[in-house]
């Protein structure tokens, strides 16, 4: 009884609790020190709170109204499209809020299978498999597909989800210089000793707005008997004549074996990702891919809005085609103003500034002028390559774009980014 009483008071059997408290205090001190270093380096990432729908114009919590949004992945403006919202509501009412299950237990509804078939048809592939996100799709494919007998060759600037997915697999890993075909060829030669070789690249790189040289990659893959994998998160829906992505844009659809992409950007902007490719691969992923096997099914409302977004794209390419002129307008006007814009012909338009603190301060000053943009710095981008990433949407007007350029020019001169 005395031991029990001491335990309740924190003594005796409660001694380990005191040790745990000391460890927690030590952890707190270390974390607070790390956080202070982040603030001191000017790389602290604040979260602004939006009090309206996603769209070209926003209202921020606390009274900020009439803000023009230039940092969403809402490339086609479908996040708030009335038909997309209506489809989500209808799916919610018919199929419920969620499945409370993974797919192979009791988590597969007819709408999941319909959407997978629609994705495969859109990408002109044999089959597709849904995930909770494209991060999960990237986490699930390499481990399931590749063994210690195989090799994966990855662009050094691939998205973090590709890098993490590759880390999980036991294949031999090669990293080639960003979009450097000479280096890729050298790595492919070195990897000839392995059974299977897979070249993995973003189709469009999210931080730099550049597009992978898929024609050259596919030529090298054919020469050295390799497969090609592309992540199309920042391409699906608006690159290519019909918005099918970089493989369609560059005419190599039949040479790219595997496509991973997202439903959470151009295709409705909610959540979800997928892999599409050969049917035997998709069948294997349903049996072996851990994020698929151990994550709940996509909620019906998400499935409904993504399905409607694909319907709109397959009915007409008008929305996808509207992007080119708007992107060119922003890029040309910003270049004329004296800014350096990374990438080429992509609605991701990084305004290169170099200094992390400058990017952060300029982004804050832009918001004071009614333009919502975000500064990116290490570890999201390499040290010394801080930038403000601007993203153009099909629902931006010419007036929106011109106002953004004017604000950049004013803020750039104020902070010494322009002479």
């Amino acid at each position: 009884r005395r031991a029990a009483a001491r335990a309740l008071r924190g003594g005796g059997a409660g001694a380990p609790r005191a040790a745990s408290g000391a460890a927690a205090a030590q952890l707190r001190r270390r974390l607070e020190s790390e956080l202070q270093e982040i603030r001191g380096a000017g790389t602290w990432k604040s979260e602004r709170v939006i009090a309206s729908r996603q769209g070209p114009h926003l209202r921020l919590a606390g009274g900020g109204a009439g803000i023009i949004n230039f940092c969403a992945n809402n490339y086609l403006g479908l996040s708030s499209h009335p038909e997309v919202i209506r489809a989500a509501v209808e799916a919610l009412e018919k199929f419920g809020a969620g499945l409370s299950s993974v797919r192979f237990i009791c988590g597969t509804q007819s709408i999941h299978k319909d959407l997978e078939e629609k994705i495969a048809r859109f990408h002109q592939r044999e089959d597709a498999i849904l995930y909770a996100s494209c991060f999960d799709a990237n986490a699930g494919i390499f481990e399931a597909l590749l063994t210690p007998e195989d090799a994966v060759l990855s662009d050094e600037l691939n998205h973090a989800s590709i890098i993490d997915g590759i880390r999980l697999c036991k294949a031999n890993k090669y990293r080639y210089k960003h979009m450097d075909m000479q280096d890729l060829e050298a790595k492919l030669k070195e990897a000839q000793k392995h059974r299977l070789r897979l070249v993995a690249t973003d189709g469009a790189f999210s931080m730099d707005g550049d597009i992978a040289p898929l024609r050259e990659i596919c030529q090298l893959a054919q020469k050295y008997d390799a497969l090609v994998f592309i992540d199309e998160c920042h391409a699906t829906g608006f690159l290519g004549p019909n918005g099918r992505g970089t493989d369609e844009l560059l005419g190599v659809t039949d040479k790219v074996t595997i496509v991973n992409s997202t439903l959470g950007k151009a295709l409705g902007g909610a959540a979800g990702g997928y892999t599409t490719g050969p049917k035997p691969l998709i069948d294997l992923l349903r049996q072996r891919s851990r994020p698929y096997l151990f994550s709940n099914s996509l909620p019906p409302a998400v499935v409904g809005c993504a399905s409607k977004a694909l319907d709109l794209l397959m009915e007409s390419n008008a929305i996808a085609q509207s992007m080119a002129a708007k992107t060119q307008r922003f890029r040309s006007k910003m270049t004329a103003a004296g800014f350096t814009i990374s990438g080429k012909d992509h609605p991701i338009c990084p305004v290169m500034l170099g200094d992390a603190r400058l990017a952060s301060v300029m982004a804050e000053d832009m918001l004071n002028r009614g333009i919502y943009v975000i500064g990116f710095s290490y570890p999201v981008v390499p040290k010394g390559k801080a930038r403000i990433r601007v993203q153009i949407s099909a629902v931006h007007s010419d007036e929106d774009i011109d106002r953004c350029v004017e604000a950049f020019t004013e803020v750039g001169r104020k902070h010494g980014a322009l002479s």
Side-chain angles (χ1 to χ4, degrees):
R1 285 197 299 269
R2 284 194 298 270
R6 283 196 302 271
L8 288 172
R9 291 194 302 269
R17 186 184 303 168
S20 177
Q26 182 183 29
L27 174 63
R28 179 177 291 273
R29 287 193 298 272
R30 182 174 68 79
L31 294 178
E32 288 176 347
S33 176
E34 285 190 35
L35 293 172
Q36 190 56 42
E37 288 178 8
I38 294 172
R39 292 187 182 94
T43 59
W44 183 265
K45 296 162 188 64
S46 300
E47 295 182 0
R48 296 164 181 160
V49 180
I50 297 171
S52 63
R53 292 180 177 182
Q54 182 64 273
H57 299 89
L58 300 174
R59 180 170 57 84
L60 298 182
I67 305 297
I68 307 177
N69 184 15
F70 276 96
C71 58
N73 298 315
N74 185 25
Y75 295 110
L76 300 178
L78 298 182
S79 295
S80 300
H81 192 287
E83 290 187 50
V84 172
I85 294 173
R86 191 178 307 117
V89 171
E90 290 172 358
L92 180 67
E93 291 176 342
K94 183 175 181 180
F95 291 98
L99 278 298
S100 305
S101 174
V102 299
R103 288 284 297 270
F104 79 93
I105 299 178
C106 58
T108 299
Q109 294 173 314
S110 57
I111 52 174
H112 293 95
K113 300 303 292 183
D114 291 344
L115 178 55
E116 286 169 336
E117 185 278 329
K118 195 174 291 185
I119 288 168
R121 182 156 39 93
F122 177 72
H123 283 283
Q124 300 177 329
R125 261 68 180 191
E126 294 177 12
D127 202 356
I129 179 173
L130 289 169
Y131 287 89
S133 67
C134 191
F135 204 112
D136 276 352
N138 286 340
I141 188 165
F142 300 104
E143 184 182 23
L145 177 63
L146 303 175
T147 74
E149 297 180 65
D150 304 318
V152 58
L153 302 94
S154 175
D155 187 294
E156 66 179 348
L157 293 189
N158 274 340
H159 190 269
S161 59
I162 300 175
I163 294 169
D164 285 359
I166 290 173
R167 283 174 178 163
L168 291 171
C169 79
K170 295 181 180 179
N172 298 274
K173 302 168 181 68
Y174 297 82
R175 185 173 65 177
Y176 63 93
K177 296 175 184 175
H178 181 49
M179 302 201 307
D180 186 327
M181 294 300 96
Q182 286 186 333
D183 194 38
L184 174 58
E185 183 166 19
K187 298 296 193 302
L188 280 166
K189 288 179 180 177
E190 188 179 348
Q192 287 301 292
K193 58 193 174 188
H194 304 298
R195 181 187 64 172
L196 183 150
R197 292 155 297 282
L198 178 69
V199 180
T201 181
D202 277 307
F205 290 85
S206 61
M207 285 299 113
D208 292 283
D210 47 10
I211 296 170
L214 284 185
R215 291 195 190 103
E216 293 81 358
I217 289 173
C218 289
Q219 288 169 1
L220 287 174
Q222 187 172 9
K223 181 177 179 180
Y224 293 99
D225 194 23
L227 303 173
V228 177
F229 160 98
I230 56 174
D231 179 310
E232 288 286 80
C233 287
H234 292 275
T236 298
F238 57 92
L239 286 188
N242 299 290
R244 291 191 171 96
T246 54
D247 56 344
E248 182 188 54
L249 176 72
L250 298 172
V252 292
T253 300
D254 60 334
K255 295 179 175 60
V256 173
T257 306
I258 306 166
V259 174
N260 276 14
S261 194
T262 183
L263 306 173
K265 293 182 171 59
L267 301 183
Y274 57 85
T275 296
T276 184
K279 189 177 189 311
L281 168 65
I282 303 305
D283 289 343
L284 179 68
L285 293 176
R286 293 191 196 279
Q287 304 303 313
R288 297 275 180 82
S289 181
R290 292 167 69 84
Y292 179 81
L293 289 169
F294 298 106
S295 295
N296 265 16
S297 306
L298 275 180
V302 172
V303 176
C305 72
S307 184
K308 175 54 70 174
L310 279 170
D311 287 342
L312 294 172
L313 280 177
M314 289 192 280
E315 287 168 7
S316 170
N317 66 354
I319 301 177
Q321 291 301 306
S322 71
M323 294 295 299
K326 294 174 188 282
T327 298
Q328 179 58 30
R329 184 183 188 92
F330 179 80
R331 284 180 170 272
S332 62
K333 288 193 170 229
M334 286 290 286
T335 301
F339 288 100
T340 299
I341 311 299
S342 181
K344 181 181 179 183
D345 300 331
H346 193 284
I348 291 174
C349 304
V351 182
M352 303 303 293
L353 299 169
D355 181 73
R357 191 178 299 278
L358 176 62
S360 177
V361 169
M362 281 185 59
E364 195 66 34
D365 218 352
M366 290 287 288
L367 185 61
N368 294 333
R369 288 166 169 75
I371 305 296
Y372 192 157
V373 289
I374 295 293
F376 286 81
S377 54
Y378 182 82
V380 180
V381 296
K383 288 183 179 180
K385 293 191 176 181
R387 79 281 309 267
I388 292 175
R389 187 179 70 173
V390 175
Q391 290 169 277
I392 306 300
S393 172
V395 288
H396 282 132
S397 67
D398 288 348
E399 291 75 17
D400 291 338
I401 292 170
D402 292 348
R403 184 175 161 191
C404 183
V405 174
E406 290 168 6
F408 259 113
T409 304
E410 292 175 9
V411 171
R413 286 175 179 157
K414 175 182 175 181
H415 295 283
L418 292 177
S419 57

